[in-house]
Amino acid sequence: SLLAGHCCRCRGCCRCLSPKMDLARLFEARGRRGEEKRDDDEDDDEDEDEDSHVPEEILANPDFDSKKMRMPPLQNFKHLMQPSDVEFEDVQTFCLSSFNILTLSPTIGRFKSLRELDLSRNMLRSLPSEIRYLSSLRVLNLTHNWLMLLPAELQYLSNLEVLDLTFNRLLKSLPGEALARLACLQRLCLNQSGLKSLPSSIGSLANLHSLNLSGSPLEVLPASIAEMKALTVLNLSSFRNLPKMPAPVVARGGSSSGQPAVWFPRLEQLVMCNVKTLVLPPALCGMRRLRSLDLSHSTICGGFTKLKHLTELRTLFLHCCNLSSVPPSVTSLGSLTRLDLHGNRLTALPATIGALGSLRYLDLHENKLESLPPAVKGLGQLVNLVLSKNNLQFLPEGLGELKALEALDVRKNQLRAVPPGVFTVPMRSLLLENNKLTSLPEVKQLPNDFTINYNRISSLPGTIESAHEALVIRGNYLTRLPSEIGKLTDLQLLDLGKNSLQRMPKEVGKLVNLRVLCLERNRLVSLPDEIMHLCQLANLELEKNNLTSIPTGIGRLRALEHVDLRRNAITSLPREIGHLKALKTLQLSTNELRKLPDEVQHLESLQVLVVGGNYLTAPPVSIGALARLKRIDILHNPWEGELRRMIGRDFHQGVSRKAWSADLQGEVLRWFGRLHRTRHVARRDVDLAPHLVESIVCLVWQ
């Protein structure tokens, strides 16, 4: 076995193994040692013995599932240890996660070089005292267990840096003296534990920089917590009521100068989100170095006046706090660079919002704002402004003065016009969809990421000279395109679907770099012949228009791969369509086609052909040469009724395939026998013919 110092594959020493030891191999080794030879009776006795070790506290817990106890993976691996001269010096990482272990063997102490031990998602109630020998351990993961106490021998883990005790609901206390001796501990996770108090010795952890206490039933924090001068991250989220905080250390001269007391002098990030009743603690005033504060999803009582003392604060999260107005103390935070207020009930912004001169990111989406104050022009450093899902009817002219602005999101508002100054800002993203815009100002250049879908725009300005690589204007009232559209030679994507276009200007042929042209759901009756110049076009979508024919120049679009012509009035296809050697998908359903040209058989790359819902009087025999065809839809054509009559009522009544007439078999084989997917079926092979007939007849019958 692996733990006996041998490799399952090469039978060599454990030095041939990688430093990370996976327990999946351990179980393989266990099987090789003959564990499967135990009698069923012995297994039953062992299960009963193991069940007897389950503590009553675990059995009484509603989250405990007794069925997990009967899963065969390891529950006590001490019987795997064989010789006394076993060496484990090379094992540095040991993963024992998710194996329902009840008791950890004392043999764990032999892993003298172990640096990381993962015991998460088991059923451990305690740890053996031999853990004291793991002096090289850096990371100890004990999440999702049933630990009730920690051994005092934990103090000998002098190099431990990370201790994770998340989701240990039965853990009611910590060994204070042992915890105080973990001088190298940098990260301590006690979230979702059963702790109601912390030992005062926690203040001795001079190197601890991250402490997570979220979701624990703590009622008060020890006074010594103020001694943790290295702490930079503190998580106090998911409480019903925030734990009572100790009286902070008074700064020198604090009483005479009137300065607030100092608490956690190096704390940079404080998380107090998802607190049902949150009263900002007085000690918040003394967190001079605090740079990030998260109060989201909390019901805040008692006001925000304490925030004005956080002069170094850079990030403030106040989203989903049921706020009806922006607290005045927020606008006094001159160093703020990110402010998140989305998901509240804000109806207006204060006139002092312009005082946030360092602000770079402002999120106000999903509020009830009806207008923006002119003072927003004071946000000279603003890079990203999110205003979606509000009730804005207009934007202030001052937005045009925000020269640093790169992204503006005003989707799903009630905007009827956009000030021209907005387009003078060299933005990379401007999102205007789902508004009530009827026109665009005379602009020369559009942002790289520009969307104006689902508005009421009937025409585009003829002054547009640049639109980067994509122009998407779906769901509007466009009836025509300006001839200046030909100037956008860098366009690779032009999406004008769901409009009212009746024709396309011939200048569209100048878009030589265009790869995707989407014109579905318009009123086009024809396409210009200049479309043949789009030599890079790969995707052409013309679904649901009024087209009656396709220009012969389509044969020159040699890069075309996908063509969608569904729901038109096309009566015939040009013979030049056979020149599209790269075409993979051809959709022609719901038209007025009576015949497919024989040149279709030259579409050597075609994989999908859809011609259902036309007036084809006979199946397209020419498709027999399409070797790569994978899917074909030829239903709802006149010839379908003839095939149904050939099938007769016997098929509907469930007659055997062998009873189908030879005429029916021969007819189907004549239509489809040369397809690639049925090439293994010979015309003369009468015994295999019904299998082919079944697939075709069932498709038609459905």
Side-chain angles (χ1 to χ4, degrees):
S1 70
L2 294 180
L3 291 181
H6 297 287
C7 176
C8 300
R9 297 183 178 179
C10 67
R11 295 295 180 182
C13 67
C14 62
R15 299 181 190 278
C16 67
L17 301 178
S18 62
K20 182 171 183 178
M21 196 174 197
D22 193 347
L23 200 58
R25 288 188 179 181
L26 186 62
F27 291 140
E28 182 183 356
R30 180 183 180 184
R32 292 178 182 274
R33 291 184 55 241
E35 292 293 333
E36 69 279 358
K37 295 182 179 179
R38 294 185 178 182
D39 296 332
D40 295 337
D41 295 338
E42 292 178 355
D43 291 338
D44 295 338
D45 295 341
E46 183 182 0
D47 291 340
E48 293 177 1
D49 181 67
E50 290 167 349
D51 289 344
S52 64
H53 291 289
V54 182
E56 296 181 358
E57 295 87 350
I58 294 179
L59 295 175
N61 194 292
D63 295 332
F64 175 71
D65 186 0
S66 60
K67 294 182 179 180
K68 294 181 179 180
M69 292 293 300
R70 297 182 176 89
M71 297 175 63
L74 189 63
Q75 294 185 358
N76 190 332
F77 64 83
K78 62 182 180 181
H79 59 278
L80 292 179
M81 307 304 179
Q82 291 291 333
S84 60
D85 58 347
V86 176
E87 297 181 358
F88 301 105
E89 284 78 2
D90 290 340
V91 179
Q92 297 184 5
T93 301
F94 199 0
C95 180
L96 286 167
S97 176
S98 305
F99 286 103
N100 303 317
I101 303 174
L102 287 176
T103 306
L104 189 61
S105 170
T107 319
I108 191 68
R110 298 185 184 181
F111 292 81
K112 299 296 182 63
S113 300
L114 201 62
R115 298 173 62 90
E116 182 176 349
L117 177 59
D118 187 353
L119 296 168
S120 61
R121 299 185 182 276
N122 285 292
M123 297 181 181
L124 294 173
R125 184 175 55 166
S126 61
L127 298 176
S129 59
E130 285 75 8
I131 200 171
R132 65 187 296 173
Y133 299 115
L134 306 181
S135 57
S136 299
L137 198 64
R138 300 288 192 274
V139 179
L140 179 56
N141 187 350
L142 295 167
T143 62
H144 292 84
N145 276 283
W146 301 100
L147 292 172
M148 301 180 64
L149 53 90
L150 296 177
E153 287 76 8
L154 199 69
Q155 62 183 315
Y156 297 106
L157 305 182
S158 56
N159 292 306
L160 193 65
E161 297 177 357
V162 178
L163 177 58
D164 196 341
L165 294 165
T166 302
F167 276 101
N168 280 272
R169 298 289 190 179
L170 301 181
L171 187 62
K172 304 299 182 182
S173 61
L174 296 175
E177 295 182 3
L179 189 65
R181 297 190 178 185
L182 301 178
C184 295
L185 195 63
Q186 299 179 14
R187 180 183 173 190
L188 179 59
C189 298
L190 300 172
N191 45 311
Q192 305 297 330
S193 65
L195 295 173
K196 292 186 178 180
S197 62
L198 295 176
S200 58
S201 59
I202 196 173
S204 303
L205 300 176
N207 292 313
L208 192 70
H209 65 74
S210 178
L211 178 60
N212 192 339
L213 301 172
S214 65
S216 298
L218 292 171
E219 298 177 356
V220 62
L221 297 180
S224 61
I225 204 153
E227 301 174 10
M228 305 175 69
K229 300 184 183 301
L231 196 65
T232 58
V233 180
L234 177 61
N235 192 331
L236 297 173
S237 60
S238 301
F239 282 91
R240 182 177 295 274
N241 294 294
L242 199 67
K244 184 178 180 181
M245 295 188 179
V249 178
V250 179
R252 295 180 180 178
S255 57
S256 60
S257 61
Q259 295 180 354
V262 177
W263 193 63
F264 285 135
R266 295 187 180 180
L267 193 65
E268 296 182 358
Q269 181 179 350
L270 177 61
V271 182
M272 294 191 292
C273 64
N274 198 25
V275 179
K276 291 188 176 181
T277 304
L278 176 59
V279 178
L280 298 182
L284 190 66
C285 304
M287 299 180 186
R288 305 290 180 79
R289 295 190 179 183
L290 196 65
R291 301 175 67 88
S292 177
L293 177 61
D294 189 350
L295 305 176
S296 60
H297 296 275
S298 299
T299 302
I300 303 174
C301 306
F304 293 83
T305 55
K306 302 178 182 65
L307 296 181
K308 64 182 180 180
H309 299 287
L310 306 179
T311 56
E312 299 295 325
L313 196 64
R314 300 290 189 272
T315 304
L316 178 59
F317 295 98
L318 288 172
H319 54 273
C320 302
C321 291
N322 202 27
L323 299 176
S324 58
S325 61
V326 179
S329 56
V330 172
T331 58
S332 64
L333 302 174
S335 299
L336 208 61
T337 60
R338 181 186 179 99
L339 177 60
D340 193 338
L341 291 165
H342 82 262
N344 285 287
R345 298 183 294 111
L346 303 177
T347 57
L349 294 180
T352 55
I353 191 70
L356 301 177
S358 301
L359 200 64
R360 296 177 58 84
Y361 182 93
L362 177 59
D363 191 345
L364 295 165
H365 89 268
E366 206 168 353
N367 278 279
K368 299 181 179 180
L369 296 173
E370 297 181 355
S371 62
L372 296 178
V376 295
K377 64 181 180 181
L379 305 177
Q381 301 296 322
L382 196 63
V383 174
N384 197 327
L385 177 59
V386 183
L387 297 166
S388 57
K389 292 187 178 181
N390 280 278
N391 298 322
L392 296 172
Q393 297 185 6
F394 63 91
L395 296 176
E397 293 285 347
L399 287 181
E401 300 182 18
L402 303 180
K403 301 303 181 182
L405 193 63
E406 295 182 1
L408 175 61
D409 185 354
V410 287
R411 293 174 294 176
K412 296 184 178 181
N413 279 277
Q414 306 294 322
L415 294 177
R416 298 181 181 275
V418 179
V422 172
F423 291 91
T424 62
V425 180
M427 287 185 288
R428 58 174 176 80
S429 177
L430 177 58
L431 309 181
L432 297 169
E433 62 186 46
N434 288 101
N435 280 281
K436 297 181 179 180
L437 300 173
T438 57
S439 63
L440 291 177
E442 299 292 327
V443 296
K444 292 186 177 182
Q445 183 175 358
L446 295 177
N448 189 15
D449 183 12
F450 176 73
T451 60
I452 198 169
N453 303 337
Y454 303 104
N455 279 274
R456 302 176 181 179
I457 295 176
S458 57
S459 62
L460 295 179
T463 57
I464 299 178
E465 297 180 355
S466 175
H468 294 280
E469 298 180 354
L471 179 59
V472 182
I473 309 178
R474 296 176 60 87
N476 281 274
Y477 299 161
L478 288 177
T479 56
R480 65 179 183 84
L481 288 180
S483 59
E484 288 78 7
I485 192 73
K487 297 180 180 180
L488 308 181
T489 55
D490 293 331
L491 272 185
Q492 296 186 16
L493 167 64
L494 178 58
D495 189 348
L496 302 172
K498 296 185 179 181
N499 280 281
S500 300
L501 296 172
Q502 297 182 3
R503 66 180 183 85
M504 291 290 291
K506 62 181 181 180
E507 286 77 11
V508 74
K510 298 180 181 180
L511 306 179
V512 292
N513 292 312
L514 198 65
R515 294 186 54 83
V516 179
L517 178 58
C518 301
L519 298 171
E520 78 275 10
R521 297 178 183 268
N522 278 278
R523 300 177 182 178
L524 297 173
V525 295
S526 64
L527 294 176
D529 293 334
E530 286 74 12
I531 198 173
M532 69 179 68
H533 300 306
L534 304 179
C535 54
Q536 301 294 328
L537 193 64
N539 195 331
L540 178 60
E541 298 184 11
L542 293 165
E543 178 193 358
K544 204 173 182 180
N545 279 277
N546 298 325
L547 298 174
T548 58
S549 63
I550 301 297
T552 57
I554 194 173
R556 298 187 181 182
L557 304 180
R558 302 301 173 88
L560 207 56
E561 296 181 359
H562 305 280
V563 176
D564 189 351
L565 295 168
R566 294 174 295 171
R567 299 185 182 184
N568 281 278
I570 300 173
T571 56
S572 63
L573 295 178
R575 299 175 58 183
E576 288 76 8
I577 198 170
H579 298 158
L580 304 179
K581 303 297 183 180
L583 193 63
K584 296 180 180 179
T585 303
L586 179 58
Q587 302 196 50
L588 297 165
S589 62
T590 318
N591 277 279
E592 299 180 5
L593 294 172
R594 297 184 180 273
K595 182 182 179 182
L596 291 182
D598 294 337
E599 285 72 15
V600 171
Q601 62 185 329
H602 300 311
L603 302 177
E604 54 189 33
S605 300
L606 195 64
Q607 299 178 7
V608 178
L609 176 61
V610 182
V611 291
N614 281 276
Y615 295 97
L616 299 176
T617 55
V621 180
S622 58
I623 64 176
L626 301 177
R628 297 186 181 181
L629 194 62
K630 296 180 180 179
R631 174 177 172 247
I632 179 172
D633 183 357
I634 52 178
L635 300 183
H636 306 296
N637 280 281
W639 65 270
E640 179 185 344
E642 180 64 23
L643 184 56
R644 285 177 177 270
R645 287 192 293 272
M646 294 175 64
I647 295 172
R649 289 181 295 179
D650 291 339
F651 177 76
H652 184 63
Q653 295 173 0
V655 71
S656 173
R657 296 179 301 184
K658 296 181 180 179
W660 295 342
S661 67
D663 293 339
L664 176 59
Q665 297 178 16
E667 192 71 13
V668 174
L669 286 174
R670 182 175 66 83
W671 293 341
F672 302 99
R674 288 181 293 172
L675 292 181
H676 177 68
R677 59 177 178 175
T678 59
R679 187 165 292 179
H680 64 281
V681 181
R683 291 173 178 272
R684 62 179 182 276
D685 195 342
V686 180
D687 295 334
L688 292 179
H691 296 282
L692 175 61
V693 175
E694 178 187 20
S695 61
I696 302 301
V697 172
C698 290
L699 179 64
V700 173
W701 193 259
Q702 292 173 0

